[in-house]
Amino acid sequence: MAQLQAGMTEQEAFDLVKEHNKDPFHLEHATTVCGVMKYFAAEFDPENQEFWGVVGMLHDLDWEEHADEPEKHTLYAAPLIEAAGGTPELIRAVQSHCSDFNPQLPKPELFMEKVLFATEELTGLIGAAVIMRPSKSVMDFEVKSLKKKFKDKRFAAGVNRDVITKGADLLGWSLEELFSRTIAAMQSIAPDRGSFQAQN
């Protein structure tokens, strides 16, 4: 696959996220999606692992400051990313996960963009489900538990199940495969949770 240039490092991306997000939940979501993206990149596109991670880190850059304008999500992020040195391909990848809400934004075309589209909401559902468990850990979380939470529309009602289903379709995966792979991705980064916070 072609080498993708982000124009910034993962650490620089996290510093940018911290400039525009103060809620610990949003910072954790950014680092979680970053880690999940890098996990998938290691399997499918290892040469571009940092690019995948930077995309995951920045995908919700403007959400906290502009949550009242969901239809403009990522539009505010674009000039911020560009000013920080981000490339057009980085901005495009970030914006592709919002194309369902704004048809003017690019649709996911690269495999990496499809993975972001499919997993971003799903990591939130998994995180919400894990908090409810006695262990409070993703390490003993199973697909069957996730299936139950996915079907219960009242649980984590803000999570868009349609986006997750469409994401699985875009990847050509069953929902079960998407669930299994994303749980494994989150398990792979769980021991390192907070590593960015610890550095800063």
Side-chain angles (χ1 to χ4, degrees):
M1 292 189 186
Q3 189 74 38
L4 298 167
Q5 301 296 330
M8 65 173 73
T9 66
E10 197 177 300
Q11 184 63 52
E12 288 167 341
F14 183 64
D15 290 342
L16 184 60
V17 169
K18 284 198 302 179
E19 279 182 43
H20 297 278
N21 294 269
K22 306 306 176 191
D23 186 332
F25 174 82
H26 292 150
L27 296 177
E28 182 173 341
H29 181 61
T31 56
T32 296
V33 178
C34 171
V36 166
M37 290 293 287
K38 287 173 68 179
Y39 171 89
F40 282 106
E43 179 178 354
F44 295 106
D45 190 14
E47 286 186 14
N48 290 309
Q49 194 168 5
E50 182 161 53
F51 183 92
W52 284 53
V54 171
V55 170
M57 187 71 78
L58 295 175
H59 79 281
D60 274 353
L61 175 63
D62 61 13
W63 180 256
E64 185 172 308
E65 294 176 336
H66 301 284
D68 57 335
E69 298 177 277
E71 72 285 354
K72 294 185 178 179
H73 180 33
T74 72
L75 292 178
Y76 290 105
L80 299 176
I81 295 171
E82 185 177 14
T87 61
E89 60 205 88
L90 173 60
I91 293 169
R92 197 215 114 83
V94 166
Q95 292 190 323
S96 68
H97 87 284
C98 293
S99 56
D100 263 24
F101 306 101
N102 184 344
Q104 295 180 325
L105 293 174
K107 294 190 179 302
E109 291 178 3
L110 296 177
F111 186 75
M112 173 264 305
E113 294 167 346
K114 295 174 182 179
V115 170
L116 176 66
F117 187 94
T119 61
E120 187 261 331
E121 290 274 320
L122 185 54
T123 62
L125 181 62
I126 294 170
V130 164
I131 290 170
M132 306 297 292
R133 296 174 67 75
S135 68
K136 303 237 184 308
S137 172
V138 74
M139 301 310 291
D140 59 359
F141 191 54
E142 298 180 350
V143 171
K144 63 181 180 181
S145 299
L146 181 54
K147 283 181 176 178
K148 288 179 185 174
K149 297 300 186 188
F150 185 82
K151 288 177 182 175
D152 181 1
K153 302 290 175 63
R154 295 166 300 174
F155 180 80
V159 172
N160 191 320
R161 271 77 168 169
D162 292 340
V163 165
I164 295 170
T165 301
K166 182 175 178 180
D169 289 342
L170 284 172
L171 289 166
W173 297 349
S174 66
L175 267 178
E176 181 146 353
E177 181 176 5
L178 176 61
F179 289 174
S180 176
R181 285 180 174 276
T182 307
I183 290 171
M186 290 183 68
Q187 289 171 339
S188 78
I189 60 173
D192 301 318
R193 182 60 51 80
S195 59
F196 277 92
Q197 287 88 332
Q199 291 171 22
N200 293 274

